Amino acid sequence: MSLLAVIEKELRMFFRYPLRVISVTLIGIVFLLQFVFFGEAVLGGRYSQILASSTGLGDYPTYALIGYILWWLFASPMEAYVWGVRRELQRGTLETNVLAPIRMIKFLIGLSLGWILIDNVLMGIVFIFGVIVFKIPVSFIIILKAVPILILSFIAFLGFGMIFAGLVMLFKHIGPLTQIFEFGVMFLSGVFFPTTVMPKTVQAIGNAIPLTHAIEAIRGIFIGKSYAELIPTIEILLVLTFFYWLISYALFKYAEKLTRVIGYGGY
Amino acid sequence: MYAIEAENLKKSYPKKIPLPFRKVEWVNAVNGISFKVKKGELFGLLGPNGAGKTTTIKILTTLLEPSGGDAKILGYDIRRDVREIRRRINLVAEGERTLYWRLSAYENLKYFARIYYVPKSVEKERIEELLKLVGLWERRNDLVMGFSRGMKQRLAIAKALINDPEVLFLDEPTLGLDVQSAIFVREFVRKLVDEHKKTVLLTTHYMAEAEELCDRIAIIDHGKIIALDTPEGLKRLVKDEDAVEIKVKDFNPEKLRDAPFALAIVKEDPTSNLTTLRGQIDEEDLPKVVEWLVKNNAKILSVEEKEPTLEDVFIKLTGRAIRD
């Protein structure tokens, strides 16, 4: 009930700024369009043999749309935690919430789930827009096959994002740093181009990010791979999910303890 | 059992985040505070800004962990029993931004009722009762952003009562309020203790407020309690001495450092260069004080004998006045 109350409060407040809904959707669409057109211009058209031979998926708009939507899904929990706490600090309401018997972790998850819910709806709109505008070959079977991978990816992303929940409690003003990180991930995880074009060390860093493997798995489904063929990728995703949840929980507990020493930065 | 027990409470803040392997300087905010508050008592922490009042409240409400000492709220340990305490207390924090301005008054209370686990069966009734109690029922569906400062504070009090707390903490509850709203808040707080049998701990730097409201007052300065008694008991400290208020013009307040008398500035008006000084001065010493002021270029505008107040107690104990 208390978790739902936090989510409901966030949703109510989000929709009290109607322009925000329009601006977030438009930014999402503009971002997608420019990357797809840029890619097509560089590749000399929609289809690329080079891309197909290195990734198995030669249709650039499909390639970019999958990467972009998953990147959005990946960034959403981070944004939600970081800006959720930031907004509460700006409103002066963080300590009012901390003082309530609701657990801090539950409150933060509520804050982020509200945001993620909104984000995913907007992302869905951008996805449908991309599918229609770029005539992406997507079927009901593909979507159905992608759902379990998407759920697993999302759990991994939530765990990864919670690291930022711990960080934001300690450092408070990490919004810009988070954005730099998100855009860095865009390159490291092969959102718009294959990571194979980058040095091996950079690729190794990219491999530690769950998004890289989530994108690989979903692209695999789009080119008709079976679950059996995707097992190695799914295994890595599972290991990373466990690893990041462990790390983020430990960091969060440490941050929670330290925050009671340094204060919540409230009133 | 006491409602609040604080034993040698200490709190230091780090100047930087104390990460492992990082050398950090610490600043003392509370330096060993001890006091006990009985159930149903209205207890005040009186002191100037930066005295450690808010830090003390934050420790007692479990928002901060003390660096030393112990405290119990309704018998629960503030380190160990955080959630138990949070269920039984509430806080009206300083400032007006403790509510969601983009939610209505009703939505705010409903939200806080949920995160305080108020049973669904009583939620609606309690919200209505509280909004009526603070006179905001008619405005329940209006967004808080349209409320005046006084209305926001009334709603903040209603919010703080949403879990029917046994102990209520109020941090500078009338700060920045207009006279009418301040009176409402004071009367309401007194009613909470007298009629609803709540235990209240409030901080203030308004002498009159502490004197009018509190059953007992702890005067706090530089993180330490320097006196603790009933308002009458505290005033007895200066009862035998006359309080004198002297209005002067063109006086350099810096000179007070070398004054051979305990005089403190209670009011300054830089535009007209007027200063009001106050202190406990015997009748026979008064001419010497006036002479000293004149020698230091002060133009004496008036000299008045006053009834001793808590301000005089503070001046006597610290040599300074509590100023707004």
Side-chain angles (χ1 to χ4, degrees):
Chain A
M1 203 57 148
S2 54
L3 183 74
L4 285 178
V6 182
I7 297 171
E8 187 192 329
K9 180 257 298 175
E10 282 300 298
L11 292 178
R12 267 185 202 281
M13 293 180 68
F14 182 86
F15 289 106
R16 297 250 154 100
Y17 295 100
L19 266 179
R20 198 195 269 174
V21 183
I22 298 164
S23 75
V24 173
T25 315
L26 280 179
I27 289 168
I29 288 171
V30 169
F31 217 72
L32 176 71
L33 287 177
Q34 66 172 352
F35 265 95
V36 172
F37 289 136
F38 177 76
E40 285 188 4
V42 170
L43 293 169
R46 176 182 180 123
Y47 191 82
S48 161
Q49 195 54 53
I50 305 163
L51 192 65
S53 57
S54 65
T55 67
L57 182 59
D59 183 50
Y60 188 70
T62 307
Y63 182 92
L65 185 66
I66 293 169
Y68 181 57
I69 294 297
L70 280 167
W71 172 78
W72 197 330
L73 196 70
F74 172 78
S76 183
M78 282 192 287
E79 290 263 315
Y81 284 123
V82 170
W83 294 107
V85 171
R86 188 84 197 98
R87 280 194 301 275
E88 294 291 342
L89 274 169
Q90 280 170 339
R91 291 169 189 151
T93 43
L94 183 66
E95 284 192 332
T96 320
N97 283 285
V98 174
L99 192 73
I102 184 174
R103 284 187 192 281
M104 189 64 187
I105 188 79
K106 203 175 187 184
F107 170 67
L108 287 178
I109 289 175
L111 274 188
S112 64
L113 283 180
W115 189 262
I116 289 165
L117 202 69
I118 297 158
D119 233 14
N120 287 2
V121 169
L122 300 179
M123 189 185 65
I125 295 170
V126 175
F127 179 73
I128 293 166
F129 174 86
V131 167
I132 294 168
V133 169
F134 297 110
K135 299 185 178 61
I136 304 291
V138 61
S139 66
F140 181 68
I141 299 294
I142 288 176
I143 299 283
L144 211 63
K145 266 179 80 180
V147 168
I149 309 281
L150 280 173
I151 292 171
L152 174 63
S153 305
F154 186 64
I155 294 169
F157 298 165
L158 265 182
F160 193 88
M162 218 173 83
I163 291 176
F164 287 78
L167 291 175
V168 74
M169 278 175 70
L170 287 177
F171 301 104
K172 312 289 188 298
H173 310 284
I174 60 163
L177 197 78
T178 310
Q179 279 176 333
I180 293 169
F181 180 77
E182 285 165 15
F183 285 107
V185 164
M186 198 176 254
F187 296 99
L188 292 169
S189 293
V191 171
F192 290 117
F193 56 84
T195 52
T196 45
V197 299
M198 291 193 287
K200 290 275 181 216
T201 43
V202 180
Q203 285 183 46
I205 298 169
N207 282 334
I209 301 167
L211 176 64
T212 312
H213 306 284
I215 290 176
E216 197 183 318
I218 298 289
R219 280 182 184 147
I221 284 172
F222 267 73
I223 56 171
K225 280 187 181 174
S226 67
Y227 281 146
E229 285 172 286
L230 294 173
I231 282 176
T233 314
I234 294 170
E235 274 174 353
I236 299 172
L237 204 53
L238 279 169
V239 170
L240 288 179
T241 304
F242 178 74
F243 175 73
Y244 283 119
W245 270 100
L246 202 72
I247 293 273
S248 61
Y249 187 73
L251 179 70
F252 179 80
K253 281 296 182 196
Y254 171 72
E256 199 179 24
K257 203 168 173 314
L258 200 57
T259 311
R260 281 192 70 210
V261 173
I262 59 176
Y264 289 89
Y267 76 101
Chain B
M1 188 177 65
Y2 286 94
I4 303 168
E5 294 167 82
E7 187 63 46
N8 198 25
L9 269 190
K10 289 177 184 160
K11 179 67 193 171
S12 313
Y13 286 106
K15 281 191 174 174
K16 289 178 190 166
I17 299 167
L19 297 172
F21 312 111
R22 191 187 209 184
K23 215 177 166 185
V24 177
E25 261 185 82
W26 295 74
V27 182
N28 287 341
V30 173
N31 292 315
I33 279 180
S34 303
F35 64 89
K36 286 175 181 171
V37 181
K38 287 173 268 175
K39 280 188 177 177
E41 188 177 12
L42 206 166
F43 188 89
L45 280 178
L46 174 70
N49 292 330
K53 304 186 298 289
T54 297
T55 301
T56 305
I57 273 209
K58 283 189 177 186
I59 294 171
L60 295 173
T61 53
T62 74
L63 284 172
L64 279 177
E65 194 155 304
S67 315
D70 293 305
K72 282 181 180 169
I73 307 293
L74 300 161
Y76 292 103
D77 186 276
I78 54 159
R79 283 193 183 86
R80 214 182 43 227
D81 309 317
V82 171
R83 289 193 84 208
E84 289 301 325
I85 292 174
R86 288 180 183 178
R87 281 178 194 279
R88 292 166 171 82
I89 64 162
N90 216 318
L91 164 74
V92 178
E94 186 194 324
E96 56 178 341
R97 296 205 65 106
T98 56
L99 298 158
Y100 292 100
W101 288 17
R102 290 250 170 202
L103 294 182
S104 69
Y106 194 93
E107 286 165 347
N108 262 288
L109 292 196
K110 189 175 151 192
Y111 168 67
F112 284 107
R114 299 272 163 93
I115 66 166
Y116 270 92
Y117 302 102
V118 173
K120 198 90 201 294
S121 52
V122 297
E123 180 190 286
K124 223 173 154 184
E125 196 184 319
R126 190 171 298 168
I127 294 172
E128 184 176 340
E129 183 194 340
L130 287 172
L131 284 173
K132 282 180 177 166
L133 210 60
V134 296
L136 289 172
W137 178 245
E138 300 304 318
R139 303 285 305 268
R140 64 189 179 279
N141 294 322
D142 293 353
L143 295 187
V144 173
M145 62 194 296
F147 284 8
S148 69
R149 175 83 176 83
M151 287 162 77
K152 281 177 191 145
Q153 189 67 338
R154 279 189 273 154
L155 186 61
I157 292 173
K159 180 239 111 195
L161 294 170
I162 197 74
N163 58 329
D164 194 18
E166 291 174 60
V167 183
L168 185 64
F169 293 86
L170 297 118
D171 194 8
E172 300 276 6
T174 58
L175 188 69
L177 296 187
D178 58 273
V179 178
Q180 214 175 359
S181 300
I183 291 171
F184 174 88
V185 170
R186 283 181 195 136
E187 284 176 353
F188 192 81
V189 170
R190 194 62 250 182
K191 214 159 76 178
L192 282 177
V193 176
D194 295 340
E195 291 173 20
H196 299 266
K197 308 296 172 207
K198 304 279 179 204
T199 305
V200 171
L201 186 146
L202 74 84
T203 73
T204 183
H205 66 279
Y206 296 131
M207 304 286 169
E209 183 168 285
E211 201 172 331
E212 178 193 330
L213 274 180
C214 301
D215 300 321
R216 284 191 306 144
I217 297 164
I219 298 182
I220 180 169
D221 191 36
H222 296 304
K224 280 185 175 168
I225 290 179
I226 52 173
L228 195 165
D229 208 334
T230 58
E232 294 71 32
L234 286 171
K235 281 195 287 183
R236 271 199 293 274
L237 290 172
V238 291
K239 192 184 140 204
D240 300 331
E241 299 161 57
D242 299 321
V244 175
E245 210 166 89
I246 308 170
K247 275 192 188 139
V248 291
K249 200 173 174 191
D250 302 332
F251 175 66
N252 178 7
E254 293 289 312
K255 300 267 184 192
L256 273 182
R257 284 188 195 160
D258 312 317
F261 316 99
L263 273 179
I265 301 164
V266 287
K267 207 172 166 189
E268 262 184 306
D269 182 0
T271 46
S272 52
N273 217 8
L274 288 175
T275 311
T276 308
L277 304 164
R278 193 173 171 118
Q280 259 64 52
I281 293 158
D282 291 339
E283 217 170 297
E284 53 268 33
D285 287 335
L286 195 57
K288 289 181 204 159
V289 174
V290 172
E291 191 185 335
W292 182 85
L293 284 167
V294 172
K295 214 160 84 184
N296 284 286
N297 305 322
K299 291 186 186 103
I300 312 281
L301 299 180
S302 67
V303 178
E304 277 181 84
E305 200 177 314
K306 296 273 183 182
E307 275 291 305
T309 65
L310 289 179
E311 181 88 59
D312 301 301
V313 180
F314 193 81
I315 293 169
K316 186 184 169 95
L317 294 170
T318 67
R320 293 177 289 117
I322 297 181
R323 290 199 281 165
D324 294 345

